[in-house]
Amino acid sequence: MQKPVELIIFDWDGTLFDSVGQIVASLKFAAQQFEQPLTDGAAKSIIGLGLPEVAQVLFPTVPELHRDILQSYSDHYVANSTGDQWFVGVSEMLHDLHEQGVKLAVATGKSRKGLDRVLKQTKSEDLFVATRAASETKSKPDPLMLAEILQQTGVQADRAIMVGDTSYDLEMAKNIAMPRVGVSYGVHTVEVLQSFKPLSIAHDIAALHHFLNTQVDA
């Protein structure tokens, strides 16, 4: 008999938070400031990685500009993302799972400063028992941030689920033998997500909420 899930770890951008459009816009703004070519598709494809990795992937020929480009991106994003919010239904899903006694956590490519800002913005600090940002550990798809969350919460990998919208999220979970769930409304396609053998791929928050409830009540 399948044991119920004790811990659900969520990616942030594109999974819980409707911020992909602003991230792309801010990356393109920063690239333009330094006369670097960048398409919407390329900018979108790296969402989920830590910022140093983003710079290495998108601007490999100008390492001397990485710090300034990332600072420009961060400044633009902070100034223009104050209206970003959770996808519709996320608040209800998180509070429902929390009230059922499930441990909730966040594993994100954001910096710690950026994560703390959006946790405060969504008034969700108390919902999560653990949070890890790429600036304080290794970037996805390295599974270190998941290992650290498991150690902090005392939960085994097979009693946890990683939820994310990118290959980086699902590959990270696969690398530590953690069950995983993809969502198709974020960054990467269903075909890409399916290659990492998720338990399910949810096409909206309602479907995600329903599926997670079936795992909690297993």
Side-chain angles (χ1 to χ4, degrees), residues 1-146:
M1 181 178 174
Q2 181 182 350
K3 295 179 179 179
V5 167
E6 298 177 9
L7 169 67
I8 302 174
I9 306 169
F10 293 94
D11 168 59
W12 190 269
D13 294 303
T15 299
L16 296 179
F17 206 57
D18 189 6
S19 50
V20 169
Q22 187 55 58
I23 291 172
V24 169
S26 294
L27 281 170
K28 291 191 70 179
F29 172 84
Q32 290 165 3
Q33 303 314 297
F34 295 91
E35 301 180 336
Q36 298 300 309
L38 181 63
T39 64
D40 284 9
K44 187 176 181 182
S45 72
I46 54 70
I47 293 174
L49 296 177
L51 288 177
E53 289 73 24
V54 166
Q56 290 164 16
V57 171
L58 295 183
F59 313 110
T61 63
V62 287
E64 70 278 6
L65 295 179
H66 285 181
R67 178 178 294 184
D68 290 340
I69 291 173
L70 291 178
Q71 187 62 56
S72 178
Y73 159 76
S74 297
D75 291 346
H76 189 272
Y77 182 79
V78 170
N80 292 276
S81 64
T82 55
D84 288 353
Q85 54 191 331
W86 277 333
F87 290 109
V88 173
V90 165
S91 179
E92 293 81 0
M93 174 182 68
L94 295 177
H95 281 89
D96 177 47
L97 293 167
H98 185 259
E99 288 166 7
Q100 293 182 64
V102 183
K103 294 182 175 74
L104 305 177
V106 173
T108 180
K110 285 186 173 300
S111 67
R112 169 50 63 183
K113 182 178 179 181
L115 178 58
D116 285 347
R117 182 174 54 81
V118 291
L119 287 170
K120 184 177 180 180
Q121 185 174 325
T122 54
K123 299 180 173 63
S124 59
E125 300 100 318
D126 294 339
L127 280 174
F128 301 106
V129 299
T131 61
R132 298 299 287 167
S135 62
E136 60 197 5
T137 183
K138 291 188 177 180
S139 174
K140 304 172 185 179
D142 190 291
L144 181 59
M145 67 171 72
L146 293 185

